[in-house]
Amino acid sequence: MDTSKQNTASKILDALTSDIIQGVFPPGEKLQIKTLKDRYKVGTSPIREALSQLIAKDLVVSENQKGFYVSNISIDDLTDIYQARSKIEGLCLDMAIKKGGDFWESKIIAASHLLAKYSKSENIDMDEWQNRHFSFHEALVSGCNSPRLFQIRQSLYEKSTRYRNLWLQENVTNYERLQANQNEHVALMVLVLERDSMPAQKLIEAHIMTPVEIIKKNLP
Amino acid sequence: MDTSKQNTASKILDALTSDIIQGVFPPGEKLQIKTLKDRYKVGTSPIREALSQLIAKDLVVSENQKGFYVSNISIDDLTDIYQARSKIEGLCLDMAIKKGGDFWESKIIAASHLLAKYSKSENIDMDEWQNRHFSFHEALVSGCNSPRLFQIRQSLYEKSTRYRNLWLQENVTNYERLQANQNEHVALMVLVLERDSMPAQKLIEAHIMTPVEIIKKNLP
DNA sequence: TTTTTCAATAATGTCGACATTATTAAATTA
DNA sequence: TAATTTAATAATGTCGACATTATTGAAAAA
């Protein structure tokens, strides 16, 4: 992303988001203004503005006069986020199947090819696999054509990131798990291209819920 | 709401939100920091913090070094928001029907009574009617039991407020329209209490989309 | 020893001044 | 006269200082 045109608060927002998601600041940790000022070498205002926006993203919580803390994670929260995600994804997919055209179909086929090819390769880089996985799912719902639903989908995806990281490692290193995952992707594509709406919706909902049990085991 | 424990930024956020929704600052209007400082009698920081959060609410947009503006409204945006709202409400209702218990049922019946009674009265106060209408719909979905979906629902409701104000006036002053509206509420309650999920979902979706056409006519 | 009170410390939240950037208006040139 | 450049003006964005509030730890009382 081009950071040159961003103001300081935006840059701090990106950096802080990344640091929280990557675990530099773990769940529950206090975020002292002074510490953040030193770390990012900026003044008070941009820090507070960035924190304001992180509260809206649910990555940070604050209490008046008591400061800012990284949001806690929990099994309840994990379950709720993934359930909401699966329902929203199902909604978007259903709308996409009803509205999508030729161009949409071709995007799905292209993204599916990229993901399938990479999932078969020898040494899988987690970031690259994640990129292709993300693109495939985005292609599926891209026909839905509702900015707001997309925004909600995007926002839930971000909120799930801290949990997803607990699953990714296992998914790409465990061969059987990756194959099962990949089989679902193929089945999903077939259903979608056949415009078989209800089964596709049910499958995507189950597909998104799959990691939940694995993550539960890895949760602190 | 108790404002005494809020910090200045929170108070400004509430005031600004209200002023934008009520039309004190109409869509597209520039929000000059200096003007806002004078209006609310506070310094720069709380203003900027509140504006940061309003951006997350989609009520304000900003460009680096060019300032802040009230978000524009448009027919496309109206349609998209209401469509997303209707789908999310359908989702919540479906989940509520599957999960709700006795207490949930009783809340619906109570809220329905309050709304029905007031809808029949002589002089209808718009705010009071809106309160009861809101409570009824909230009761319907209250069994859904997903904090995230509720938060999304709430957020979409807020985003639709500027449009909804263009419909409310007409809905409560036009007798026929109010009766038709009220008939839908009753039908909705019956379906929900019979746990007839699919028809209930379809009806709530249509119910929420009803104002769209009326609002389109009243849009500037 | 435990509890309570009170002072010292440290953090947050707010403000106005200053530096940076965009916009507007005037002046110069073609 | 129209277009371009340049200067002025005005707005945004950032910072560090100050006031306010919470927390911590020591001293006194039970």
Side-chain angles (χ1 to χ4, degrees):
Chain A
M1 207 179 292
D2 179 29
T3 61
S4 59
K5 282 185 183 173
Q6 289 179 306
N7 61 13
T8 313
S10 289
K11 288 184 213 160
I12 300 300
L13 176 64
D14 290 345
L16 250 174
T17 303
S18 168
D19 283 344
I20 290 174
I21 286 174
Q22 302 304 322
V24 175
F25 300 113
E29 180 144 309
K30 174 145 208 192
L31 296 170
Q32 283 190 157
I33 303 276
K34 188 179 179 335
T35 310
L36 299 177
K37 278 168 65 174
D38 292 347
R39 180 180 175 86
Y40 302 112
K41 310 266 185 262
V42 294
T44 313
S45 315
I47 295 285
R48 285 189 63 87
E49 267 183 53
L51 287 171
S52 279
Q53 298 190 250
L54 281 167
I55 291 173
K57 281 197 191 185
D58 285 331
L59 282 175
V60 166
V61 295
S62 83
E63 243 180 304
N64 190 26
Q65 299 287 15
K66 289 193 183 174
F68 299 85
Y69 298 82
V70 179
S71 298
N72 273 305
I73 58 179
S74 69
I75 290 187
D76 281 353
D77 187 51
L78 156 72
T79 312
D80 190 43
I81 288 182
Y82 270 77
Q83 186 161 314
R85 266 194 67 201
S86 86
K87 292 289 184 183
I88 298 290
E89 196 85 5
L91 208 57
C92 291
L93 188 62
D94 181 56
M95 287 172 71
I97 287 174
K98 279 167 184 140
K99 290 184 189 171
D102 294 349
F103 186 60
W104 168 68
E105 292 181 359
S106 76
K107 273 201 289 187
I108 294 172
I109 295 169
S112 167
H113 180 74
L114 286 172
L115 176 60
K117 209 64 178 288
Y118 198 71
S119 295
K120 280 179 208 145
S121 60
E122 291 281 315
N123 289 321
I124 295 182
D125 175 62
M126 222 173 72
D127 286 338
E128 180 60 21
W129 185 84
Q130 188 168 209
N131 284 340
R132 297 189 184 208
H133 185 224
F134 178 85
S135 298
F136 173 68
H137 280 287
E138 191 170 61
L140 283 177
V141 297
S142 65
C144 126
N145 210 28
S146 163
R148 299 287 171 169
L149 281 178
F150 248 73
Q151 185 182 318
I152 290 166
R153 177 182 176 274
Q154 166 74 21
S155 148
L156 283 171
Y157 181 80
E158 274 185 23
K159 287 184 221 274
S160 70
T161 305
R162 282 191 297 175
Y163 297 104
R164 189 171 52 255
N165 287 338
L166 298 172
W167 161 80
L168 265 177
Q169 185 62 42
E170 180 155 348
N171 190 69
V172 293
T173 52
N174 181 324
Y175 180 78
E176 281 181 22
R177 185 106 59 206
L178 184 60
Q179 287 312 311
N181 188 263
Q182 190 52 28
N183 287 340
E184 286 190 356
H185 291 144
V186 174
L188 207 42
M189 178 177 68
V190 172
L191 286 173
V192 167
L193 292 180
E194 284 173 349
R195 313 271 172 162
D196 207 352
S197 187
M198 270 305 281
Q201 195 170 346
K202 290 299 161 200
L203 182 54
I204 190 85
E205 285 179 15
H207 179 75
I208 288 185
M209 289 305 282
T210 307
V212 171
E213 290 307 316
I214 300 165
I215 297 170
K216 273 187 188 171
K217 284 185 220 149
N218 296 346
L219 259 188
Chain B
M1 210 178 293
D2 178 30
T3 60
S4 58
K5 282 185 184 173
Q6 291 178 305
N7 61 13
T8 313
S10 287
K11 289 184 213 159
I12 300 301
L13 175 64
D14 289 347
L16 251 174
T17 302
S18 166
D19 282 345
I20 290 174
I21 286 173
Q22 301 303 324
V24 176
F25 300 113
E29 180 144 311
K30 172 147 211 190
L31 295 169
Q32 283 191 155
I33 303 277
K34 190 180 178 333
T35 311
L36 299 177
K37 278 168 65 173
D38 292 346
R39 179 180 176 86
Y40 301 112
K41 310 268 185 260
V42 293
T44 314
S45 315
I47 296 285
R48 287 188 62 86
E49 266 183 55
L51 287 171
S52 279
Q53 298 189 250
L54 281 167
I55 291 172
K57 282 197 191 184
D58 285 332
L59 281 175
V60 166
V61 294
S62 82
E63 244 179 304
N64 190 26
Q65 300 287 16
K66 288 193 184 177
F68 299 85
Y69 297 82
V70 179
S71 299
N72 272 306
I73 58 178
S74 69
I75 289 186
D76 281 352
D77 187 51
L78 157 72
T79 312
D80 190 42
I81 288 182
Y82 270 78
Q83 187 160 314
R85 266 193 69 200
S86 86
K87 293 288 183 182
I88 298 290
E89 196 84 6
L91 209 56
C92 291
L93 187 61
D94 181 55
M95 289 171 71
I97 288 175
K98 279 167 186 141
K99 292 185 188 172
D102 294 349
F103 186 60
W104 167 68
E105 291 182 359
S106 76
K107 273 201 291 187
I108 294 172
I109 294 169
S112 166
H113 180 73
L114 286 172
L115 177 59
K117 209 67 179 286
Y118 199 72
S119 294
K120 280 180 209 146
S121 60
E122 291 281 315
N123 289 322
I124 296 182
D125 175 60
M126 223 173 70
D127 286 337
E128 181 59 21
W129 185 85
Q130 188 169 210
N131 284 340
R132 300 191 181 206
H133 185 225
F134 178 85
S135 298
F136 172 69
H137 281 285
E138 193 170 59
L140 284 178
V141 297
S142 66
C144 126
N145 210 27
S146 164
R148 299 289 171 166
L149 281 179
F150 247 73
Q151 185 181 319
I152 291 166
R153 176 182 177 272
Q154 168 74 20
S155 146
L156 283 171
Y157 182 80
E158 273 185 23
K159 287 185 222 273
S160 71
T161 305
R162 283 191 296 175
Y163 297 105
R164 189 172 50 257
N165 287 339
L166 297 171
W167 161 80
L168 265 176
Q169 185 62 42
E170 181 155 348
N171 191 67
V172 293
T173 53
N174 180 326
Y175 180 78
E176 282 181 22
R177 184 108 58 206
L178 184 60
Q179 287 313 311
N181 187 264
Q182 191 51 26
N183 288 340
E184 286 190 355
H185 290 145
V186 174
L188 206 42
M189 178 175 69
V190 171
L191 287 173
V192 166
L193 293 181
E194 285 172 350
R195 311 270 173 164
D196 206 352
S197 188
M198 271 304 282
Q201 194 170 347
K202 291 297 161 203
L203 182 53
I204 191 83
E205 285 178 16
H207 179 74
I208 288 184
M209 290 303 284
T210 307
V212 171
E213 290 307 315
I214 300 164
I215 297 169
K216 273 187 190 172
K217 283 185 220 148
N218 294 348
L219 260 186

